[in-house]
Every structure is written in structure tokens, then in C-alpha cells.
Amino acid sequence: MEDFCAKFVSQKISKTRWRPLPPGSLQTAETFATGSWDNEENYVSLWSIGDFGNVDSDGGFEGEHQLLCDIKHHGDVMDLQFFDQERIVTASSTGCVTVFLHHPNNQTLSVSQQWTTAHYHTGPGSPSRSNAPCTGVVCDNPEIVTVGEDGRINLFRADHKEAVRTIDNADSSTLHAVTFLRTPEILTVNSIGQLKIWDFRKQGNEPSQILSLTGDRVPLHCVDRHPNQQHVVATGGQDGMLSIWDVRQGTMPVSLLKAHEAEMWEVHFHPSNPDHLFTCSEDGSLWHWDASTDVPEKSSLFNQGVRSSTFLSHSISNQANVHQSLISSWLSTDPAKDRIEITSLLPSRTLSVNSLDVLGPCLVCGTDAEAIYVTRQLFS
Amino acid sequence: MEELDGEPTVTLIPGVNSKKKQMCFDWGPGEMLVCETTFNKKENSETVPGCPFIYIIRKDIDVYSQILRKLFNESHGIFVGLQRIEEELTGKSRKAQLVRVSKNYRSVIRACMEEMHQAAVAAKDPASGRQFSSQVSILSAMELIWNLCEILFIEVAPAGPLLLHLLDWVRLHVCEVDSLLADVLGSENPSKHESFWNLVTILVLQGRLDEARQMLSKEADVSPSSAGMCRVLGDLMRTMPVLSPGNTQTLTELELKWQHWHEECERHLQDGTFASSPHLECLCKIMLGDEAALLEQKELLNNWYHFLVTRLLYSHPTVKPIDLHFYAQSSLDLFLGGESSPEPLDNILMAAFEFDIHQVIKECSIALSNWWFVAHLTDLLDHCKLLQSHNLYFGSNMREFLLLEYASGLFAHHSLWQLGVDYFDYCPELGRVSLELHIERIPLSTEQKALKVLRICEQRQMTEQVRSICKILAMKAVRNNRLGSALSWSIRAKDAAFATLVSDRWNQSLLALGGLLGSWEAQDCRSDLWARPCRFLRDYCERGCFSDLDLIDNLGPAMMLSDRLTFLGESLGSVPWTFGTVVGCGGGRCCLDFSRVFFLLSPNSKPHRALCARLCKAYFLVTFPINFKSKEKRCKSRLRIKKLPCPLYPDSPFTYCLICFIILRFLGNSLKGSWRLCSPFLINT
């Protein structure tokens, strides 16, 4: 069982993100940012884990993460991403998109750039603009893409005052999350179970491709792309179902995996070990999915905290034409051959786990129970 | 009805002069709104501006403490874990579990106390430092009481081990000695340290005889004259029979040995072994349990319960639980010596020694500033099956009553409401209705928050609330031209009629919405209030546009009316509406609309959701903001107030009736007139 360190922080945590490591660095992650929601005053905070590696003999609190600095954030922090080593981009429930700059010298945060009405409604009932929450943000230096409840997609560029590109009414329902597919293509998920691919090279307000869940139109809340195989995409839905998609073929998911009991808030492939996937949910659980094929046949039934996955997968497209060796372990749909080991990471159920992030052997997650959990021995 | 246990304290609100001006007030669940009013004083009404401020008075300020939030969150996890303890566990394993839970609670209190202490030390201005320090002492008292309750009620230690537990209890809470010990041992010549004898005495008083012996040997090393005496006393300390946890000796054996030891001590004293050293003689007297000698050490004992435990240790080491209260009472009397009267903490501890659980909880409720402590302690004791179903006259048992109070306090807080849900879940009698009524008041600022509230309702099959939330969000989406969102919300509401309508006729979506409203109208057959928005929509569908943009505003508030409030429509049916409309407090959700209105009423005050949703007991509070510029008589004649029947729980008078409403009336279109709140009307059902 992983060694988790929990700390109560007196604010409900909506987002947690590791600061990216400088390229070529061999260190493990040490600093992460969090955003809070639903407080009277919300904050963006930076935390550091001191000498976590050498846990002192009396098992003291040395490894606990310490607050480096924080700054007030107007509205709930709906999403948060590191733009680069020093800059953090946040999405606010007020429709504002802010870039914060971290000054390592005196450990402070300051606002370096702000687009105040990035997202807004223009309904018949409100002739003037009313703010709409910005629900998702994704960065790929120098570009920032945001989506919101107003169904708008904005493309910003750092150091540009105005949006570089705006797709008004890109979606008639709420866009919940966004990710880069391959520049300049992005992928969005919405509240009627659709996954849309947008190409910024194309003019007009039409997506280049639409994929969707059949039947129930279950809202999708999160999306992540496989780090190496860019056509493999994982999404999490309102019913807690994990869907794996192959955007090259078909308009339906390759497999549907029954997972959490409530909304899946985030899904992340492990950035350097993509056979591992992590999900968290409103039901208060945090799961580690291990699809690496070299897993020896474990007696998983007797392993505490491990449950074997229930496959609801339907072989949608016959994949005989694809070389077996090249298929990602996530796309193979033979439940008998490949098992996915699922481990529940948090010791006890709590309130909703809103966000998680993985980097190397480190994982951080934040909950509505106002606790931040950190582990630095993920695969030990 | 029981009598009041004490006079309620008077709270002065700075800035409000109740002698000069009339005041009006309004209840919220955890807070109260107070403002000045010039109602009925016509001579002033034109010159003096209305109330410039509305004061929010919070009852449970502890909920707003940043550090205590950690206590609430962490103990929430323990609470939920405790509720899931398997009922099958019996006997020892169950008791061990419960003791562990109790220790977990205590460790959370201690962690919180330490953090509060650090905050007090680090505080920049003395006022906040004092505040933190007073919180520390409250937390420390809470832990003290909890620990004693744990020993007496949960652990149920029998004679023998009981005293060991009590000693631990005293050692844990009179902990200055440890720093003193380090101080003395750290000095160059410990036995010449000014506090040396104080330290030895405290160690003996706390029964830490091994450490006391070591200190004596230090004294013996430097002063050969008293070395012999020190050795004798050290031997007495060493040979004092004590019950060790792993030992199998019986109580009778122990008592016999102890009696011998006691006689030996007495002999030494009478022989004058220690006559030449008053310090050592005093220690020997203490070890004999000499009350006068003990009372001389009042300063070092700090408090009467320390005195009690020391007294028991050296004169009644095998005290039985039933006899405790007798010794406790006499110790308290001896210690205070008629000089001062017992404080609340003394009364609480005394009640515990008397095994009067109800009295402990009652005194704690009065003395402590939050419900956290009593709610959790009572719940734990209830799991120990210690509270016979002591039914209160207002319908639920004490555990449930306290949990409801605590959870309501959490719901009053801006962001702790999620914790409250689980507490309501474990209140079998009134938890469900309380949750239903509280959950409606959560402001839904973003869809994500709405989803969380919705999930809570769905998990508990609160279909009515699910439907109402989805409807509100669907209508909000329609107002913002977000038809896809409207569709997804209607799907969530499992509103089949709407879903088919919208998806089948996507191009004619507005028409479909008209149909939807019709279908909702049909479902809410009692709801004549629906007629109005429906008419607007039908207009829209026929003519393609609204004749008056303002009309669309009517859709919003009317949406929030749940059928529970329809009786209101009946009673006010004759009132002609102009701009505003009847707004039901289906929750803080209407606060968007409210804050706007509220702002007009009182531009200097911050919009607050307590205005629009209130708790009251078997009453309805109706507040009328009235435009004083228009003729008052006219207003009154138009608003006929009927005695409203309580639609919810007519048979339980204590039940919170959350339904309350504000009727906003905008007379004429002048928004610049002087607006003020006039006294609320109390309508007793």
C-alpha cells in the first residue's frame, strides 16, 4: 500500500497540479499548486514537500507538505494548469482566466495576465453580458485554450491582450474539459456525452470530428490523451464510467469500463508509464488502473484493496487488421487475455476527490474534506 | 416543558442603539439579521434615511474559525467510520474499537490545540493572540472532559486499573512538569536549582515515583548529610505496590501489600526518620495521603481533580467507580475551601464523576461555544449503548437532536455544508427532512456545484429535490440561450416528456419548451402559479418574441416555487403584480435575483443569503419591503395576510419549518424611492 501523507488545509480543494520538472532533470517532483472552491475567499496556493525521501526514524511530520505562498483568487478555481515553471493559469467560476507568476526569490505569487470576461452568456433574459464559469483550461506554451459553461472555446496566447481565436457557441451544451490532441487540434468533452475534435487551422465554428456515447448521453467530465499514442483517449463520465476511445476509427468508444459510483472528476495517464492510469471521483475514491501486460497473474481476489475490473467492453471494431504488438494495452478488448488491476489508493472513503495529478513516482490529490494527500512512492 | 437552565446572555450589537430606534430582526439557521427601522414613526420617515446597515449576527462563530475547520473535517471522517462499525462486534473487540475511536477524536482535538497554540504565539496583534489563547484553553478543557468520559464511560475501568487511567489523565493535562524537569536536569547543579523541591514534589504528587527517586539520588550525591534519609525515602518509593497492567495479582493481594507499605511509611514518620529535612518529611506525608500536607501543595496541584487523584493514589488506590463521586465531592470542597465557587468545568467533571451522563452533556452544551463537542461525544456514548432512549419532549432523542443542531450549523456555513450531509444521514428520525429542507438552500453558483448537490439528492432518492434542481438549471440554461445544456439537465431529471420533445424537435426547440412547460404544468396539477410563465411562453411561441423583455424575469423566480408553496399563491391570488412577483425560498438559489433586489433596498449592505431563507420554529416570518413613498394604506389593504396553515409537520411543533418567504413588492416603477424593511410579521400557527 502506498504511503500517503494527508494534510488538512481549511479549504476545499478543487485542483492539484505538480509543477513540471525542468527538462532533463532527474529530480522527483517537489512543488505543486492547488486551487480552492466554494469558500468565501478562494486561493491559489503553492506547496512544497521538504525532505520527503528520507523519512526520519521516528516517522515524524517532516515529510508534510508546507505552504510556500498563496494568493486570493476571485471565484472558484475551476481548473488550473502550469504554463511553464513559473506561471500558473487558472480558470475561474467568474469566467475569468488568470495567469499567475511565481517569484521564487521572495516566495510570492502575483497576477501577470488576466482575461476578465473570457466566458459569458448572452441570453434573451440578460441583454448585457453575464459571466459564465470557465470550466477547463489547457496550456501548450505559448498557447492557452479555455472552455466554459457558455460553450465557447477561446485560444489565448501569453502576452497577447485579446483572444487569438474565439469559437462562439462551439457547443450548445456545457463544455467540461479540454485537452490538446496534437497541435493545433484540441479535444473537448461536453455534458451530452460528446467528444469533439477541433482544428484551429480550419475556419468556421464546426468541429472536425464528433464522437459520442450511444444511448444515454451521459455527460463526460474529464478527458486525457495517451502520452505516446495520440489517438488513444480516456474520458470519465457522470456515471463514473471510464471510456477508452480510438479517435482514428469509429465514433464510439472502444471500451467502457465500469468504475466509480459517481462522477469521475479526473482521469490521467501516467506521463512516463502510460500503462498506468489514475482516476478520482465524487464518491471519494482514487483508483490506480494497471494495464501493463507483464503483470503476473496475481491472486487479486485475495489482495486487499484490489478489485478485478468488470468489463462491459464491446468489441466495436474488429482490430485484426492492426498489428497486435503495436496496439496499446488500453485498446485490446479481450477481457480474458488482459486483465486490468485496479487498486484503491486512499485508505478510507472520504468526501469527493476532486483532482489528482501524477508525475514520476509522485501523486497528489485534493478533496472536499479539505485534505491534500501526497505520496512519493507510487510504484514501490 | 423544562425550565431554562440559565439566563440567556445579552449580546450588544455595536452601532445599534435600541433606545433611539426601533429594531427589526429576522432569523437565519445559524445567524440573525438585525436592522434599525423607523416603522410607525411617521414624523421621521421622510427625513431620516432608512437603515443604512443590516447587521448579521452569527450564533456559532467557531464554525468560522480557520483552524477549527480542520477539526470539523477530520472528525467527520472519524464520525462516519464510527457509524459503520459493525453491529455484530460484541464484547471486548467492540469496546476496543470504541476506545480507539475515542482516542482518535482526542488526537484530533490535540492536533488542533497545538496548531491553535502556535497561531497564538505567532499572532501579531495582542487581541488575536488573546483570542487564540482562549480557544486553546477551550480546546484543552474539551479534551480534558472527553478523556475523563472515555475512562469512566467507554473504557469502564474497574477498581485498580481505574486509578492508573486517572493518573494518566492527570499527567496528560498537567504537563508543565515536563518542561520544568528538562529545565532542572539541564542546569549545572540540579539539586541546587530553585525549583528542585517543587519538581520532586510534583513528581510525587503525580505518582511518577521512579523519576522522583532519581531526583532524590542527585540530592543524595551532593549532600552526604541527607543521603541516608534520601535512600530510605527512595526505598519507600520503590517498594510502593502498584498494579501493573500485565500482572495477575488480585486486588486483595494488592490491598494487603499496600497496607503493609502504608504502615511502614507511617512508622518512619513517627520515628522521625525525616525530622531533620522538612522537604523529605513533607514528601513522606504526601505519600501517606495526609490531606493537610496535600492541601499545603495547592499551588503545585493546580486544581481539585489533581488533588483528588493524588489523594486516591496515596489513600484509596483500589477505589471503586461507584465511590468516585464521594471522593470527588469532598476533594472539591476541601480544595476550594469555601473561598471560591465551582466553575462550569468543575461542574462538568463532577457530573462525570457522578456518572450522570446527561448532566455532563447538558453542562457542556451550556458552557461550550460550539455544538461539535456535545454532538460527537453524545454520539459516541450512544454507540456505547449508554444513553437509554431518553426521549425529549420535542420528538427525537438527545443524540439526534444534538447532531441536527451541529449539522444545521455546518449548513449555515458557506462551504462546510457537505460535511453536514453525512450527519443528517445518521439521524434516523428527522435527518431526512432536515436534509431535504437544507439542501434546497444551497446556492448553485456553478454547474459543478449543482452536480454535487444533485448527486447528494440522487443518492438519497430525494426525487422532488432532484427534479427541482434540474428544472432550475434547465431554465437557467434556456434563459442563457444554452439549449444543449437545458437538454442535458432535463435528461438528468429523467423528464421523459421534455427529453423527447427537445431531442425530436431540436429545430423547434422553443416550441418544444413551451410544450415542456405545459407538461410540467400538467404534472404540478395544484400549481396555478405555473399558468403565468406558461402564458408568457405561449406568447413567445406564437409571436416569436416577447412583448416585454421584463416579462422573462418572471420565469426565473416562478421556477423556484415548489408545490409546497402553492398555498401562498392561493392566499395572495388577489394581489395584482407589476414587476416583481412572489419569490419562494426554494433555496439560496433565488439569491441571484434576491441580491439584486436587496441591493436596491439597502445599497450599503452586502447581499446575504440569510435574508431569503430562514429557519423558524412553527412560525412563518413574512417580511415586506414597502415603498414608503407610495401610500402606506394602499399597500396594507392590498396585502391581505391570512393565517397560514403549516403544511409540513403539523404534529411536531419543534420541527424546523424551513419554508419561509419574502414577498417583494415593487409598487410603481420608481426604484429610487426610499426603501426599507419594516418589522416582520409573526404569524403563529
Side-chain angles (χ1 to χ4, degrees), chain B residues 562-578:
Chain B
S562 66
D563 21 356
R564 282 188 189 158
L565 283 174
T566 49
F567 66 93
L568 181 65
E570 289 155 24
S571 60
L572 294 170
S574 58
V575 181
W577 301 355
T578 47

Side-chain angles (χ1 to χ4, degrees), chain B residues 520-590:
Chain B
W520 277 347
E521 184 184 20
Q523 284 167 33
D524 291 328
C525 49
R526 281 183 295 156
S527 163
D528 51 350
L529 283 170
W530 280 105
R532 194 174 296 268
C534 285
R535 194 158 0 97
F536 295 145
L537 256 200
R538 251 173 254 130
D539 280 359
Y540 189 112
C541 298
E542 281 160 20
R543 285 184 275 144
C545 66
F546 287 102
S547 48
D548 187 350
L549 264 183
D550 276 351
L551 293 182
I552 198 82
D553 273 3
N554 281 314
L555 284 176
M559 278 300 303
M560 290 153 199
L561 288 171
S562 66
D563 21 356
R564 282 188 189 158
L565 283 174
T566 49
F567 66 93
L568 181 65
E570 289 155 24
S571 60
L572 294 170
S574 58
V575 181
W577 301 355
T578 47
F579 166 69
T581 178
V582 181
V583 181
C585 289
R589 280 193 279 294
C590 34

